[in-house]
Structures are given as structure tokens and as C-alpha cells.
Amino acid sequence: MNRPKTFSLHALFFSVALLFLSAGCGGDDPVSPSGGGFSADEAVAALDSVADAVIAISGVENAVFLVDAPGEDFSWTAARGLADPAAGDSMTADLPFRIASVSKIFTAALVLDLVEEGLLGLDDSLGALLDSALFPEGYAAADLHSRSGVRSGGAITVRRLLNHTSGMRDYIFDGISGTGGAPGSLIYGYAQDILTTGGAGVASTRWTPEELFAFYLTSGLSGAALFPPGEGFHYSNTNYMILGHVVEAVTGNTFDAELRSRIIEPLGLADTYLEYRETAVGESPAHHFFDLRRLGGPNIDVIGMGIDTSLEWGCGGMVSTAGDLARFLRELVEGRLFDHPSTLQAMFGWVGAGGGDEYGLGVRRGTAAGVTVIGHGGFWGARAAYIPEWDVVVVFAVNQAFADLDVPLEDMVSALRDAGL
């Protein structure tokens, strides 16, 4: 992967801002985003308070935090709680954790690297990309999306998968007649299995990528598409599970091998890997939790109980550290991950994602404490975000499936602003 140029999102943001200020403010000098008064001591004190508040949340057993603000020569990391409460092991700032859907940024970056190489195009269709041998008997690409008898799966493009406009239901969280963890969904089945058998049934299943693909088709989900391709937005893990198969189809190699050779190793992400498909590196991941108290159960230690999470694969199956995620995100936004600036610009081509947020190709854009943030969150409580206005990277993991990720992000951003950014 050649990287002859650096295309900085931060530089682009401020070049636009300067043009606006010079045109609209009578030539007044622009105000520095730090206001010339950033206090590292105030930032540390405020961020430490945020970390203390997070670990006090009911159901959160451990958490890790990172802030990287090179313009102020400031960095901060913190860890709270016990990485393994049963063993009494303390959480540390460099301990790995399951990042869940933060993995989607990696998958999207890998796909875009293949686009740059000419192995596929963003507007290539699934009918042209996927090998017929992947499909269960009696199924074809057209069956991946069916709505009111109209079969449109073969025409869905790579771009529609990347920005969640395919209309396909989520193979993890959607049921045939409901979305977002509805009865009949796979995640609902996992929860019920944990409550009734202690996780000895579906929650202990070791999935292969081919089995995930077949499950989506044969479960009835593919025949209950939500809208025609391109006519709406629905966040769906199915899109990124299928992208994993697209990567394998066009390269003739495994998804994990391509991810390692094109992203992980070139960036020196020593503690990052695709779980279940690669040999684990570094220390064992911090334990994360699935709070089932609202369903009459306990706060489940997912790793401690041996719950199998191989169902995530290309949509959320990676393990990483706060430091590796910060490095990856900064390499991405500063243009060192791709050969051409147009690739990063394509990644930041936004569509409406509801709630005031927008979604690009594997990244989400929203606001926190009044400033723009770009990045992704994950089901197990991880968040990686870039603040272009300040050129700041924020990473944290609360390792609890039902924690509200917006709260710590808002609080961390507010702490940085109060300290002078």
C-alpha cells in the first residue's frame, strides 16, 4: 500500500474555516481553537472526574480512556475498575478489549484499499461479486434482499453496504417482524439462552463466516427487507458480514489475512486482531458485561461465562487497545491510510442516519457537547472518535453492552473545552 501524500481532514476543516472567517468577519484574525489558554492540569482533573463517574455507573465493572491532542502537546490515559472481577485483576490503560462495531471502520478501510487497487468498485453489485458456491442450495444473490416479492439482492452495491442503505435486516439484532433486539432476533435468542441454560445453547455456538451468511438467507430475514436499496437508512450488521465475503471473493484470500496485511501490520497495530479467526496477541481481553437485570437475570460476565461472540466477524469481531485505536484513527484522518485524497473524501460522503447523525462509509458523524465528532461506537461499550475542530482523538471502552456511549463522550468533550480547547 503506497502512501505518497498526506491528506489531513484537520487541515481541510481549518482551510474551509479560514475562508469563511476572512469572508465574513472583515479580515479579523481567526480565534485559535484553544483560545491560547489550554490548561493541561485542568484537563487532567476534569477527565479524571469523568473516568470516576463512569466506573460508578451500575453494571460497569471496568473502563479505559484515552485523549490525544497533539496541537496542545497533551495526552491522557486512564483505567478504572477490575479487568476480571472474579480474579481481582485491575484494569490497565494498555489492556485489549473487544471493540465490536468499531471494527466497521477497519472493514470499510480495507474495502476502500481494494477499491484503490482496482479489485472492485463502490458501485459494483453483489450479483457480480459473490461466488455462487457461497449460497445455500436454492438461493442466489437476488435472494439477499426481497420485499413484497421483488428480489433486489443482486443489484445491491458495495456502497449501499458500506453506508447502510441496502435495506437488509440485521442478522444479529432484527427479527422478521421487528428491529433492535426484537423477539425472534439472534441477540434475543442469546439473552434467553443465557437466562435459561446458562449459555449452553445458541450462546455457545462457534459460527463460521459461511454459516452466518447461510443463517441470514435461511432465517427469513432476507425475505423481509425494510425498504428498496438506496431508499432509506437502516444500520445493519448484515451489510458488513457480507462485505467480509466480498473481500474474500475479490482477493481469493481470507478476510482476516487481508485485514492484517493491508491495515494491521502496515500501521504497526501490535495488539489488534480479528478474534476467532486469528491467534490472539498480547494479554487476554478485559472482561465485558451484558446486563440482563432488566430481564430478571444477572449482569453477565461474557468472557467469564464463556459466551461465544464469533457471530460478529467482519461487522464487529476485532480486539484492540485504546492506543492502537487512537493510532488507527489518526492515520486514517491524516490521510496516511490511502493513496489518494479522493478515497478519504468518499469515506466521508454522508447520508442521513437519524437522530441528527450522518453515516459515511464505515464512519458516523454527529455532535458531542456542540462540536463535530467522527468515528464509531461498538455494542460492548467501545467508542473511537475524532474531533476535527480541535484535531483531537478520543477513545474509551466501558465494556458494558447497555452503557450509553454518548454520556462519557459528551463529558470528555466538555472537560476538554472547559480546559481551554
Side-chain angles (χ1 to χ4, degrees), residues 390-416:
W390 299 340
D391 189 29
V392 167
V393 168
V394 173
V395 175
F396 62 85
V398 301
N399 293 320
Q400 168 55 256
F402 293 110
D404 185 348
L405 300 185
D406 289 338
V407 173
L409 182 61
E410 288 269 345
D411 291 345
M412 291 174 76
V413 172
S414 294
L416 293 169

Side-chain angles (χ1 to χ4, degrees), residues 129-316:
L129 292 171
L130 295 177
D131 191 327
S132 60
L134 177 63
F135 292 84
E137 186 176 355
Y139 290 89
D143 297 305
L144 289 167
H145 179 295
S146 179
R147 176 177 167 82
S148 302
V150 178
R151 299 160 64 240
S152 306
I156 291 174
T157 65
V158 171
R159 191 189 307 273
R160 298 295 185 206
L161 299 177
L162 286 165
N163 66 13
H164 297 292
T165 59
S166 70
M168 291 189 288
R169 287 185 185 263
D170 189 320
Y171 76 96
I172 297 177
F173 290 98
D174 293 349
I176 295 174
S177 59
T179 60
S185 66
L186 195 54
I187 195 67
Y188 186 87
Y190 268 65
Q192 292 302 311
D193 179 42
I194 292 168
L195 291 171
T196 57
T197 76
V202 67
S204 63
T205 299
R206 177 61 51 84
W207 296 87
T208 67
E210 293 76 19
E211 287 169 341
L212 295 173
F213 189 82
F215 169 81
Y216 168 72
L217 279 166
T218 61
S219 64
L221 291 169
S222 63
L226 293 167
F227 51 81
E231 295 188 17
F233 176 91
H234 178 64
Y235 183 88
S236 174
N237 285 293
T238 304
N239 294 315
Y240 278 73
M241 178 268 289
I242 292 176
L243 282 169
H245 289 291
V246 168
V247 169
E248 295 193 341
V250 301
T251 64
N253 204 357
T254 62
F255 174 73
D256 52 283
E258 290 294 319
L259 191 64
R260 176 152 299 276
S261 66
R262 293 174 179 272
I263 306 292
I264 296 174
E265 289 183 350
L267 297 187
L269 307 180
D271 297 307
T272 299
Y273 58 96
L274 184 64
E275 197 174 20
Y276 299 106
R277 307 299 294 179
E278 294 188 286
T279 301
V281 297
E283 299 182 70
S284 298
H287 288 218
H288 56 101
F289 294 79
F290 191 21
D291 193 347
L292 296 179
R293 289 175 294 184
R294 69 190 69 187
L295 297 178
N299 187 29
I300 296 296
D301 182 340
V302 176
I303 291 178
M305 282 192 67
I307 304 303
D308 194 298
T309 60
S310 57
L311 77 166
E312 295 179 304
W313 193 49
C315 65

Side-chain angles (χ1 to χ4, degrees), residues 73-112:
D73 194 25
F74 175 78
S75 63
W76 170 82
T77 58
R80 296 288 190 275
L82 298 176
D84 180 355
D89 297 336
S90 296
M91 187 68 181
T92 61
D94 58 355
L95 203 64
F97 47 88
R98 287 173 171 164
I99 68 173
S101 283
V102 178
S103 304
K104 288 182 173 66
I105 313 180
F106 286 83
T107 298
L110 171 57
V111 169
L112 288 168

